[in-house]
Structure formats: C-alpha cells, structure tokens
Amino acid sequence: MLNSYSSADKVLLAVDCIIFGFDNDGLKILLIQRDFEPEKGKWSLIGGFLKRDEVLDAAATRILNTYTGLNDIYMEQLHAYSEIDRDPVERTISVSYFALINIENHNAELIQNYHAEWFPINDAPNLIFDHNEMVQNAIKRLRYKTSVKPIGFELLPEKFTMRQLLELYEAILSKELDKRNFISKINSLEILNKLEEKDMQSSRKGSYLYTFNKEKYEEKLLNNFVLNL
Amino acid sequence: MLNSYSSADKVLLAVDCIIFGFDNDGLKILLIQRDFEPEKGKWSLIGGFLKRDEVLDAAATRILNTYTGLNDIYMEQLHAYSEIDRDPVERTISVSYFALINIENHNAELIQNYHAEWFPINDAPNLIFDHNEMVQNAIKRLRYKTSVKPIGFELLPEKFTMRQLLELYEAILSKELDKRNFISKINSLEILNKLEEKDMQSSRKGSYLYTFNKEKYEEKLLNNFVLNL
DNA sequence: TTATGTAAGTGTAAAATCTACATTAATAAA
DNA sequence: TTTATTAATGTAGATTTTACACTTACATAA
C-alpha cells in the first residue's frame, strides 16, 4: 500500500560539511583525506551518518567536531543530494551544510588525528562522490549570502582592517571591488566599530582596525537589508 | 566504529510538496485530507516516502502525480526537516519541494479520488506535523524568487493581462505595487509578447493580452538579473 | 635629518535607477 | 448620446550607484 510506513524503504542519511575559511591567501575550504573505504585516502568533505536520535543540525555539528575539534560553529543546511549511486557502497542520501570560520582562530583545533587541511577554493583537489558539486553549490550560496547578511565577520580575526574585509569580499565574489565605494557601503551599514588602534603590518602609515558590532548587527538583521557590492 | 556503513542507522525519508497556484481569488496552496493514520482526515501537504531506487526529484514528481494526476510540473527542493518526533509513528526525515502551477489549466486533473483542494494561503487550515512551518518557508522562498527569476508565468493562463500579472505579484509579495512602475519594470525585462487581442471580461475598454516569451526568458536567465518590485 | 616609497584615507560629480503621481482613451451599457 | 468603468500612458524629483585621483602618515634608507 502506498502509504504504509512499514513497507517504505529506509535509507542511510549522511551529512557533508562545506567549511569555508579565510586568511591572507584568500578563501579556502576544509577537506580531509578519507580514512575508510571506499575511496580511502582520497580527498573528501567532512561527513558522517545521521544517528537515529539526532536532528540534522546536530549531526552536522557533531561530525565537524569529531574531525576537527571545532565547537560552536554555526552551520546552515544547504541541499539534499540523492542520486542513486552517489555512494557506491549503499544507497545514501546526503544533506550538505556549510559554515564560515576564521582559520587563525581555529588552527590549533585542526591539528588533530584526522589531518584536515585547508585548500584554496580555486585550487582544491578533486573530491569523492558528488562533493565537488556540493562545494560549487555552497560557493553560490555564500555569494548570495553576502548580499543579504553581512557575513565575513566569522571569517576574519576579531580585529581587522578595511583592506582585509575588502579582500574577503573580493575573494567570495571573485571580482574586484572599488575601495572607496566598498568602504562607504560598509560604513553605511553602521555595524563596525573603528578602533584607535592601528595595524602596522601592512604599511608604513598603518591602517585602522575595526571590530564587528554585534548589537547593531542584530538590530539590522530585523529589517532585512540588502548590500549591493 | 564511526564510519562503518553497516552500523549506521537507517531512516525513512519522505517528500512533502508545497504546490502554489493562482486564480482570480489570489494565491493558494494545494492540500489533501490525509487518508491514513496517524492524523487521518486532517489537512496535510501532499507527501509520500522516497523509494530505494528513486532520486528525490523523481519522488516529488511521482507523489504529486499520484495524488493529483498532475504531470510535468517542475519542482524545486527546499529543505530537509528532521526533528526527532516530527512524525509520531516512526523517525522520518522529510524533504520539502515546491512548485507553481496554473490552477485553471489543471483543475480537471485535480478532481480525483484523493480530494486535493485549494486554499488561500492566508486562510488555510492547520496542517499536520511540521507542515505549517514548511509552508511558511516555502512562501519566503517564493518571495525571494520573484526578485531573481520572473516567476509567475507558471501560475497564469497562457494569455494574461498586465493586471493579472500585477495581482499575482501583489499576492506573492503581499504588498501593493504601483501599476505604472510595475508595468515599466516588467516591460524592461523584455520577456513578454503583447498580442493584438484584448480581454474584454474586465472592462469596457478591454485590456491587451500578453504571452510569455520563453526564448527571451531563457536568454535573460543566463545573465542573472534582479527585479526590484 | 632629510628624502623616499608605500599603502591608507578621503569626496564629488555624473549617470542610472527608483518613486510618486493624474489624465486621457476606449468601449459597452443604459 | 451620455455615462460609467477600467486601461493605458510619461515625467520630474529623489535617491542610489558609479567612476575616479590626490593627500597623508609613517618607516626605512640615504
């Protein structure tokens, strides 16, 4: 009968995580060398199976933590992938999640048994199964998100310069942005605190450091804004 | 062991369909009275279980067809819902899909055994499980989509008036739009054919009918455009 | 101490887009 | 032929977006 629960097929449900990070070399994703068959040794997204007593969001968090030691990372669901043979061992539907993290803040945690490794998004190895497709879709979503949320603060150190922010957005959107227009658009959001302090690494003159003003940000979020860069 | 396939839990995977339609009374969704337990007789989205040899997109199409006779409806995946007790019988993860259809074109098919029924989105019955939430999220997505794709053509008859198109967008966005500005923005997309023919139903003067120019539309889609209404 | 090189910081004018708004036109029905 | 009803149409002002170049601050080297 069409709708009896008992006759319905059960499947494995997996979660795969696309973790974006940013440092001075640009936008990166976190990959691992798969430590079990099939495709053992090949590069892969961080992933695992959903447990019976677990919601998908929790599974994503747990899996990320297992492989990287990372905690309290906000992740967002993206898409369910269900091609019949996407996993050759057994029928497995996978739900992708993505997150943004600050590479420097988390490097310590990442040096673990499962050697997770950062790769530039434009120079990553070929991935197993349909993981390449998952990554491409995640990049699309990330780009879209720049226009409706001021993302990027997760990806930068606590104190950052305008140049760093600019370069982050350029990396995400993969296009050049006009420096002055970018700064005035960001300033018009009024979600940054300009510090007295300067970063002296980048130039003789030094450039002002900013922090992200979380309260004003939360305020902004209530009235959905749009940021056209 | 963490990653053995054999020890991983299997779950039921369902698909639920949010079908939007439009007629002179506004924007509607298609619901059915559930014909099996639990919650038999209550209103529900059209849904069913994924089969072992089926991809999610195909399941969505099959399920819609089973309950409504509708064919060749393009559906889009939205989100996976995984709360532990969302279905009281058994752990079931559900992936929602949404579609837009033209009510008048399809009314005949809908008069079937499973009495599917249209409800205005603002005056629909309470739904089982987490289906209310699914609908709300689908409405959000539909609104978003108006700004990046000229949707709505699926929802209207082949020949339609500007007023119908305007009212459709007003229903989706649930706000009033300025008629002249709307028309000029739509015209600037250059995806409509203005016919010689007029619709004489609505007024003494009659209003020009339009059709949707599919070729120009496909062309437009290549360069992602934005439509701010 | 002075000169030099480097990236930071800053404003504006022109163009494009968006918004608000009211009158005339066409026709059927009375 | 008058009347009533909805369709069709354009523009000026406001706002937003874009393109663009010079000065400033400071460390380093001469």
Side-chain angles (χ1 to χ4, degrees), chain A residues 9 84 91, chain B residues 50-55:
Chain A
D9 298 322
I84 307 288
R91 182 76 201 281
Chain B
L50 179 78
K51 295 187 173 182
R52 193 181 302 281
D53 58 353
E54 191 179 51
V55 298

Side-chain angles (χ1 to χ4, degrees), chain B residues 188-210:
Chain B
S188 74
L189 294 178
E190 300 183 307
I191 52 172
L192 296 187
N193 300 321
K194 187 174 190 169
L195 307 180
E196 295 298 308
E197 203 178 339
K198 282 185 163 191
D199 168 77
M200 301 308 293
Q201 303 297 105
S202 61
S203 77
R204 307 285 152 84
K205 186 179 177 181
S207 52
Y208 284 105
L209 288 165
Y210 291 80

Side-chain angles (χ1 to χ4, degrees), chain A residues 3 5 8-11 34 36 51-56 67 77 79-80 82 84 87 90-91 144, chain B residues 3 5 9-11 34 36 51-56 67 77 79-80 82 84 87 90-91 144:
Chain A
N3 287 300
Y5 284 77
D9 298 322
K10 292 190 182 179
V11 293
R34 198 164 146 104
F36 57 101
K51 295 186 174 182
R52 191 181 304 282
D53 58 352
E54 192 180 49
V55 298
L56 283 164
Y67 280 99
Q77 191 190 114
H79 194 79
S82 63
I84 307 288
D87 184 321
E90 189 159 349
R91 182 76 201 281
Y144 161 64
Chain B
N3 287 300
Y5 284 76
D9 298 322
K10 291 190 182 180
V11 293
R34 200 164 144 103
F36 57 100
K51 295 187 173 182
R52 193 181 302 281
D53 58 353
E54 191 179 51
V55 298
L56 283 164
Y67 279 98
Q77 192 190 113
H79 194 78
S82 63
I84 308 286
D87 184 320
E90 189 158 350
R91 182 77 201 282
Y144 160 64

